Amino acid sequence: MQPNAIRGQMTLQEKIALCSGGDFYATKAFEQYGIPAITLTDGPHGLRKPAAAADQLGINRSVPATCFPTASLTACSWDRELLREMGGAIGEEALQQGVDVVLGPGVNLKRNPLCGRSFEYFSEDPYLAGELAASWIEGLQGRGVGASLKHFAGNNQENERMSSDSLIDERTLRELYLPAFEKAVKHARPATVMCAYNKLNGVYCSDNAFLLRAILREEWGFEGVIVTDWGALNDRVEAFEAGLDLEMPTSQGCFDEIVLAAIRAGALSEHRLNESVDRLLDLAFTAAANRRANFHADTEGHHRLAQRLAANSAVLLKNEGHLLPIPKDRKIALIGALAKEPRYQGAGSSHINPTKLASAIDGFEALGLDFTHYPGYPLQGPADEALMAEAVAGARNSDVAVIFAGLPEEYESEGFDRTSLTMPDSHNALIARVVEVNPNTVVVLAGGAPVEMPWLPMVRAVLNLYLAGQAGGLAAAELLAGVVNPCGKLAESYPLRYADVPSAGFYETGGKQAQYREGLYVGYRYYDKARKEVLFPFGHGLSYTSFAYSDLVLSHTELDAPHALKVSVMIRNAGGVDGAEIVQVYVGELDPAVGRPERELKEFAKVFLEAGEAQPVSFTLDARAFAIYDPAARDWVVPGGVYRISVGASSRDIRLQAEVRVQGRPARSAAREVPRWYHDLNGPVTQSDFEALLGRKIEPVQAPRKGDYTLACSFQDMQASFIIRQVIKSIEATVGKGLGGVDYSNPTFKLIMASSTGTPLKNLSQLSPGSMSRQLTTGLVHLANGRYLQALITLAKRPKSRTERSP
Ligand code: BGC
């Protein structure tokens, strides 16, 4: 039977019920109509199918699956083909596990390196993020498994992620925060898109008609299912209006009666509901048709793919005097607890139970290297003098010291943000001490995001592994020994210090309001135009060979905007080792009437060349590569003028340039006066600069006060209440009981506490309708407000209606 014929037989109540989850990771089946349930599980660098008890934070064990490197590392491959293979492999594991939709990829932009979830995202550049995400989705969906592109949109921090309001001017939204989604939607057609928790310009993403209906559905033509992030639904009626189809996980139908009443009262048209039902039926039947009973995924092969991905993504940041690769006859002091117990993935919903795990020690052994391992520091806690002294002595008696260092688990996770870019003192001090006794020191970095490197001038080589997945240790050894030639390049800038980050002065200082004051000037778009020195620029990465660029040719010197510009260049491997180069094409308008970054990445290619080999590489730049978004025209506009095409090895290592005159038209609104800061990026950007950019005054967000608390508050918001402080203490005690005590340096403890006390109560009761019913949370809010009688009445009465509204 056709989906709309089935829909015709369903009652109104059944149709409403179809649009919310059946349990934590599946929708409801309606056997009477033959409608199967859809299983959706995380994502994105492997499969996390809960083994028994489902949880959202990745705390309970899941079915073993290949843990690939996280997006922060795979992005550094700049390799569409590899990402496609990775998506395909995850698709095969999903088929084997009967999973219909994998919750990924995440394409939120790396706005600020403190974001706790940076490791799950690709880049500070939307073009790179969009290209890689589209390839990953094509790989996954090529196996008949759906993707869930997330988190749409403006979710660039973890603190307050469920309630903060991302204030972004439209041009910035269109040019920076949306294009990765747009590319993935238009080119790879993901089965689903997941809305973010936060508000965007005052409206929760779940009910944001501008974002979901006007842009995603109408402009980009998205026909798939829009699903909430887990527990992200704000208002079910508004959400239907906005085009959101599916609420996940189950909230045990707590919104069904509200929707029914709205339809009966004519406040919501049944047509909107039917649209969602049709999309869900379509997904359910497609998923069922694509299932492959008894499918066997080649997990051994996937382990090797995870190794290849890590080896082809890791970034050689520094290699003074060709210290690397290490010749085979050298005696190596392999230092660092992380060399034995690698940090290879991040914490939270993406946490995978790997099929196997290889450390650097395994990798060194597999290659027969001559090494001795010294832990150097404890995995957790402060420096240990004895461990350090032993490592220093070992380094003194070796030819080369290789130190595995970086960010321990408790530093970064979903659910909270980092507080600084510093590595633990125990790691920094160890590096400084080892360098004193052995100048041939290499640092191998683990961690999901940039760190400050006070020791950089002293060490001769740095290899950045990010979070390299279950086979990362093998890849590290291959790279250090020169079995594989490094070819990754940074997908984000590394600032010298946190204070240099353009949003440093106001990131998360506004409580529940995130002002994106820096506008377009994120990452290299800022550092390059502001002429700020960086530790390592966007696109940087070294190789054991070198590449020469020549013969830049543009197809036109004058161009009419709708026509494409062809760019070709000759790349030659000028060294003695085979290797791959990532060639980057940047476009920048000279003397723009409208403020623009100096150059923006618009194309790239990864070319493998044998030693001495040369190859032409060509690119096509379409009109969009030159365009800006003009909010007044509600369209992309190519401003006429002279554009510089820069081809290079990083955003700061431009090798060839040529110019083209483009016929275009002036932008209307974008040409209006914007404050001086957006032209010269000089000094701090103020709220009033930003208000001028936004075109409106910003209403301050008042911290909720006792008496005014609502279900939109979290326990943390209501800490002024003595009773709520006791509730927090009792949550601490309960969580601590299962985790060996109240210990905020334990990442799991910190994550659970951040999620349970930082989540608004309305979302808590959607996520755990059993233990945190609406009745209980409503009662707690009354208590926090000091309305004891109301609390008593609420808590004493038997729940009879599911339509209770906020107190
Ligand atoms: C995360 C999503 C994830 C979902 C389901 C949420 O907390 O933000 O990325 O897919 O949980 O586990």
Side-chain angles (χ1 to χ4, degrees):
M1 207 187 302
Q2 288 299 311
N4 45 9
I6 295 178
R7 195 236 299 150
Q9 296 182 7
M10 296 172 80
T11 64
L12 192 52
Q13 283 85 343
E14 286 169 339
K15 290 191 291 185
I16 296 171
L18 179 75
C19 297
S20 64
D23 63 27
F24 215 82
Y25 287 112
T27 61
K28 301 181 188 100
F30 288 77
E31 272 152 27
Q32 64 275 38
Y33 304 113
I35 304 172
I38 308 161
T39 303
L40 315 92
T41 71
D42 285 295
H45 48 267
L47 196 71
R48 186 175 71 92
K49 185 179 180 210
D55 73 297
Q56 176 203 10
L57 302 174
I59 289 150
N60 298 331
R61 271 183 105 66
S62 49
V63 175
T66 308
C67 179
F68 291 98
T70 64
S72 54
L73 181 61
T74 57
C76 301
S77 72
W78 298 56
D79 190 331
R80 299 170 175 97
E81 215 24 69
L82 262 182
L83 268 290
R84 199 183 313 274
E85 273 189 66
M86 175 180 168
I90 294 172
E92 288 172 8
E93 296 190 21
L95 281 180
Q96 174 167 328
Q97 294 301 336
V99 169
D100 304 311
V101 174
V102 176
L103 303 176
V107 292
N108 297 89
L109 221 68
K110 293 177 198 263
R111 174 180 177 226
N112 184 300
L114 292 185
C115 174
R117 228 172 164 179
S118 276
F119 71 87
E120 252 183 279
Y121 299 138
F122 289 109
S123 179
E124 70 186 24
D125 183 86
Y127 182 77
L128 179 57
E131 289 290 308
L132 298 180
S135 302
W136 188 96
I137 295 169
E138 283 167 0
L140 178 89
Q141 298 201 154
R143 300 299 193 277
V145 174
S148 194
L149 184 67
K150 65 191 188 182
H151 308 89
F152 193 57
N155 178 187
N156 305 96
Q157 65 188 55
E158 287 300 287
N159 292 347
E160 305 282 3
R161 66 172 168 166
M162 291 202 165
S163 42
S164 88
D165 185 5
S166 298
L167 302 186
I168 312 178
D169 69 279
E170 192 176 355
R171 188 176 158 213
T172 300
L173 189 66
R174 299 290 198 149
E175 293 185 26
L176 217 52
Y177 293 97
L178 295 187
F181 289 99
E182 182 181 359
K183 171 57 78 65
V185 164
K186 288 183 174 168
H187 288 250
R189 306 170 71 85
T192 76
V193 169
M194 184 192 289
C195 80
Y197 285 119
N198 51 282
K199 294 178 192 167
L200 177 65
N201 291 324
V203 185
Y204 277 103
C205 291
S206 70
D207 357 313
N208 200 314
F210 172 65
L211 188 65
L212 304 186
R213 185 167 296 285
I215 296 183
L216 177 58
R217 292 220 184 275
E218 287 166 9
E219 264 184 49
W220 300 350
F222 179 66
E223 290 171 352
V225 164
I226 305 181
V227 56
T228 60
D229 196 343
W230 266 228
L233 185 69
N234 177 53
D235 182 315
R236 182 66 267 207
V237 174
E238 292 292 324
F240 270 123
E241 276 299 348
L244 183 131
D245 306 305
L246 176 64
E247 181 211 0
M248 285 301 289
T250 177
S251 56
Q252 297 185 353
C254 79
F255 297 108
D256 290 6
E257 287 180 30
I258 297 174
V259 176
L260 189 65
I263 292 178
R264 292 213 166 121
L268 173 69
S269 77
E270 191 171 343
H271 172 68
R272 285 284 182 237
L273 172 68
N274 287 343
E275 287 177 335
S276 289
V277 169
D278 287 348
R279 287 190 282 258
L280 279 163
L281 290 177
D282 194 43
L283 179 63
F285 287 110
T286 309
N290 287 339
R291 281 180 201 145
R292 305 259 300 273
N294 308 321
F295 184 89
H296 176 76
D298 172 17
T299 43
E300 273 305 315
H302 294 174
H303 184 68
R304 288 192 296 276
L305 174 60
Q307 178 176 346
R308 197 146 52 84
L309 264 154
N312 285 286
S313 307
V315 186
L316 181 61
L317 292 173
K318 178 174 180 180
N319 193 18
E320 210 174 84
H322 302 287
L323 178 61
L324 294 176
I326 306 169
K328 195 142 189 203
D329 57 357
R330 297 299 142 87
K331 192 168 172 237
I332 305 168
L334 176 58
I335 299 172
L338 289 174
K340 189 167 179 203
E341 291 185 57
R343 172 113 202 283
Y344 62 99
Q345 65 172 327
S349 60
S350 66
H351 194 269
I352 286 153
N353 178 14
T355 56
K356 29 160 103 174
L357 181 58
S359 67
I361 293 187
D362 296 328
F364 274 49
E365 276 170 356
L367 296 182
L369 303 180
D370 177 11
F371 74 100
T372 309
H373 177 245
Y374 306 94
Y377 51 82
L379 266 186
Q380 275 189 353
D384 177 314
E385 185 47 44
L387 289 180
M388 195 165 342
E390 182 197 40
V392 171
R396 186 179 286 119
N397 297 322
S398 304
D399 300 315
V400 185
V402 178
I403 309 176
F404 277 69
L407 293 175
E409 271 224 314
E410 67 268 24
Y411 277 55
E412 50 178 354
S413 167
E414 176 178 342
F416 57 85
D417 297 315
R418 280 191 294 165
T419 51
S420 78
L421 295 189
T422 50
M423 282 170 36
D425 289 345
S426 56
H427 294 217
N428 285 337
L430 175 72
I431 297 170
R433 292 265 299 271
V434 167
V435 181
E436 275 174 19
V437 300
N438 194 330
N440 298 331
T441 296
V442 183
V443 173
V444 182
L445 281 176
V451 290
E452 289 169 355
M453 302 181 201
W455 34 259
L456 186 66
M458 300 179 288
V459 304
R460 284 182 56 194
V462 183
L463 177 68
N464 191 359
L465 280 185
Y466 278 100
L467 299 174
Q470 66 179 47
L474 305 178
E478 288 184 328
L479 291 160
L480 293 165
V483 177
V484 175
N485 188 358
C487 58
K489 295 202 181 199
L490 291 177
E492 62 190 316
S493 312
Y494 271 53
L496 278 175
R497 56 190 84 81
Y498 180 63
D500 292 343
V501 175
S503 51
F506 41 89
Y507 185 67
E508 296 183 344
T509 54
K512 293 182 187 294
Q513 191 177 70
Q515 297 184 8
Y516 287 51
R517 286 188 200 169
E518 72 285 7
L520 292 170
Y521 300 103
V522 168
Y524 71 91
R525 286 170 168 75
Y526 169 76
Y527 300 117
D528 287 356
K529 186 165 167 139
R531 308 264 180 272
K532 270 245 159 33
E533 215 191 306
V534 290
L535 201 56
F536 296 107
F538 174 80
H540 168 78
L542 304 172
S543 161
Y544 296 149
T545 187
S546 61
F547 297 93
Y549 288 55
S550 65
D551 305 295
L552 173 62
V553 180
L554 305 187
S555 60
H556 299 72
T557 46
E558 300 257 342
L559 187 75
D560 259 342
H563 294 289
L565 179 73
K566 294 225 164 13
V567 178
S568 68
V569 61
M570 188 63 103
I571 309 292
R572 187 167 58 85
N573 182 340
V577 195
D578 300 349
E581 172 68 332
I582 295 163
V583 184
Q584 303 159 39
V585 180
Y586 296 87
V587 175
E589 188 187 348
L590 301 185
D591 301 320
V594 173
R596 297 183 84 165
E598 281 206 344
R599 64 181 81 91
E600 298 181 88
L601 182 78
K602 297 297 174 184
E603 252 294 9
F604 63 87
K606 190 166 188 176
V607 243
F608 178 82
L609 296 170
E610 286 174 10
E613 190 188 348
Q615 229 183 69
V617 185
S618 43
F619 306 92
T620 304
L621 299 175
D622 58 14
R624 183 71 180 265
F626 301 91
I628 60 170
Y629 189 81
D630 183 357
R634 296 214 173 125
D635 205 357
W636 293 90
V637 169
V638 176
V642 178
Y643 286 77
R644 180 170 289 154
I645 311 298
S646 306
V647 180
S650 86
S651 74
R652 291 270 169 108
D653 183 7
I654 301 300
R655 305 288 182 87
L656 301 166
Q657 293 190 321
E659 285 167 17
V660 56
R661 176 171 291 282
V662 178
Q663 303 299 333
R665 62 188 162 98
R668 280 197 275 152
S669 61
R672 85 183 138 75
E673 267 305 292
V674 290
R676 184 194 46 77
W677 189 88
Y678 297 98
H679 293 287
D680 62 20
L681 312 187
N682 201 355
V685 52
T686 63
Q687 176 163 327
S688 63
D689 289 336
F690 181 49
E691 285 175 335
L693 186 73
L694 261 186
R696 63 187 152 92
K697 274 249 166 263
I698 297 172
E699 295 297 326
V701 184
Q702 302 294 353
R705 275 198 310 242
K706 197 167 171 177
D708 298 332
Y709 296 145
T710 66
L711 285 172
C713 297
S714 66
F715 288 126
Q716 278 168 24
D717 294 333
M718 300 189 287
Q719 281 193 66
S721 149
F722 174 78
I723 294 178
I724 296 298
R725 290 202 298 278
Q726 303 319 301
V727 172
I728 295 179
K729 276 200 186 134
S730 93
I731 298 177
E732 270 178 342
T734 315
V735 175
K737 215 178 269 168
L739 294 170
V742 175
D743 175 9
Y744 280 91
S745 69
N746 173 347
T748 312
F749 181 85
K750 198 166 159 189
L751 173 60
I752 303 180
M753 283 310 294
S755 308
S756 46
T757 64
T759 299
L761 265 55
K762 69 179 170 58
N763 305 73
L764 269 189
S765 47
Q766 284 166 40
L767 285 164
S768 337
S771 55
M772 275 285 160
S773 66
R774 269 272 159 145
Q775 184 188 7
L776 176 62
T777 49
T778 307
L780 285 170
V781 172
H782 287 316
L783 282 176
N785 280 328
R787 299 195 187 105
Y788 302 112
L789 188 63
Q790 254 173 302
L792 207 67
I793 297 169
T794 307
L795 293 170
K797 81 176 170 205
R798 286 189 35 218
K800 50 180 190 309
S801 154
R802 287 173 167 163
T803 58
E804 276 166 296
R805 291 279 193 176
S806 306

